[in-house]
């Protein structure tokens, strides 16, 4: 009942080196948020999701806990649940249970970058859901969407957690267009998005009083020190999290506290920072229903369902090919 395919880039290390070089040489400097998530970074993100100030994970979980049956009905009783960035699938069980209760559940397709977690998740789910087939894919789903198997009887393709917010507009449109191209007429996308709200609450969610988010942000420097032999001094940078209301996104940076030169041995590169210079490490876009309708329509999708938590802080939306 379990089949797992691995499509990992042989040259992930080379891709990282290329990315980091380009980012450090660009003006302003920039690093991609995917490099946050080594083991320590993943642990720190887990801690973030438990902070009082960081509401998105709890809000999304409460929508799934309360409304999965409605979501499954609105998605026309899909037989297959595909999950992009499945991880430990902790929130997914609400959807799987609703599909089981509706009598439509056949197959779960977790797509994740971690082979170990995908195996563990598959093992537990086949025990929890007797008869469930798991067809896992270990890959970077941003690049390997085409590998996702076709499903008879409709697929629900879930992309939860608000990770879409990390993409800049062009990358977001490209990604959603490719999702649209893989969806058949019976398939639906289920997308998690954080919503626009008062800047003070947004900024608190990304600059918590315990400093966990600051540590998470700085951890990317530790990743570069280890993977690329860099000599970043984490104490020479500070965490900056600002809401950009024009672009409707959180803008997260590391600010150099002093004038300094950092050496990245693995890239054979030395990079200078001015005192006060900021390097962007992440954006996290916030949406309204209208904005999301526009984003969908630019990608060949149409919004067909809208589910928020009681406070209206976060949305899960359904979309279908238009
Ligand atoms: C995992 C991308 C959804 O943007 O809220 C949390 C990452 N960064 N705090 C987000 C994050 C700082 C998170 N996502």
């Amino acid at each position: 009942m379990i089949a797992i395919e691995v499509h990992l880039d042989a040259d992930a290390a080379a891709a990282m080196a290329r990315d980091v070089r380009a980012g450090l040489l660009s003006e302003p400097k920039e690093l991609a948020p995917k490099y946050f998530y080594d083991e320590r970074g993943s642990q720190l993100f887990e801690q973030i999701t438990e902070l009082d100030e960081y509401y998105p994970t709890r809000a999304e979980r409460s929508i799934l806990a309360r409304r999965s049956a409605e979501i499954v009905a609105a998605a026309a009783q899909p037989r297959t649940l595909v999950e992009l960035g499945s991880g430990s699938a902790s929130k997914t069980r609400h959807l799987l249970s609703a599909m089981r209760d509706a009598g439509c559940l056949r197959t779960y397709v977790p797509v994740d970058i971690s082979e170990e977690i995908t195996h563990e998740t598959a093992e537990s789910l086949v025990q929890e859901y007797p008869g469930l087939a798991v067809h896992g894919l270990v890959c970077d789903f941003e690049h390997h969407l085409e590998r996702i198997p076709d499903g008879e009887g409709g697929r629900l393709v879930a992309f939860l957690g608000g990770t879409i917010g990390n993409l800049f507009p062009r990358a977001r449109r490209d990604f959603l267009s490719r999702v649209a191209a893989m969806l058949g007429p019976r398939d639906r996308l289920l997308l998690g998005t954080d919503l626009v709200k008062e800047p003070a609450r947004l900024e608190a969610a990304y600059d918590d009083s315990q400093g966990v988010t600051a540590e998470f942000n700085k951890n990317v420097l530790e990743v570069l020190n280890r993977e690329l032999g860099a000599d970043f001094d984490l104490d020479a940078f500070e965490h900056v999290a600002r809401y950009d209301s024009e672009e409707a996104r959180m803008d997260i940076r590391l600010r150099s506290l002093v004038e300094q030169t950092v050496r990245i041995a693995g890239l054979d590169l030395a990079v200078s920072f001015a005192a006060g210079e900021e390097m962007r490490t992440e954006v996290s876009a916030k949406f309204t229903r209208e904005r999301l309708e526009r984003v969908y329509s630019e990608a060949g999708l149409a919004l067909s369902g809208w589910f928020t938590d009681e406070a209206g802080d976060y949305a899960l939306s359904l979309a279908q090919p238009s």
Side-chain angles (χ1 to χ4, degrees), residues 37 45 48 54 161-163 166 206 213 216 282 284:
Y37 300 94
F45 179 66
I48 288 174
Y54 192 78
T163 307
N166 277 171
Y206 291 86
T213 311
F216 171 75
E282 184 177 38
S284 186

Side-chain angles (χ1 to χ4, degrees), residues 83-90 92 108 110-114 117-118 121-122:
E83 185 173 18
L84 306 179
S86 42
S88 63
S90 71
T92 318
Y108 176 55
V111 184
D112 198 89
I113 195 82
S114 163
I117 291 177
T118 305
T121 304

Side-chain angles (χ1 to χ4, degrees), residues 259-275:
E259 184 183 332
Q260 56 181 323
T261 298
V262 176
R263 286 178 184 78
I264 304 105
L267 299 179
D268 197 17
L269 181 71
V271 178
S272 301
F273 288 83

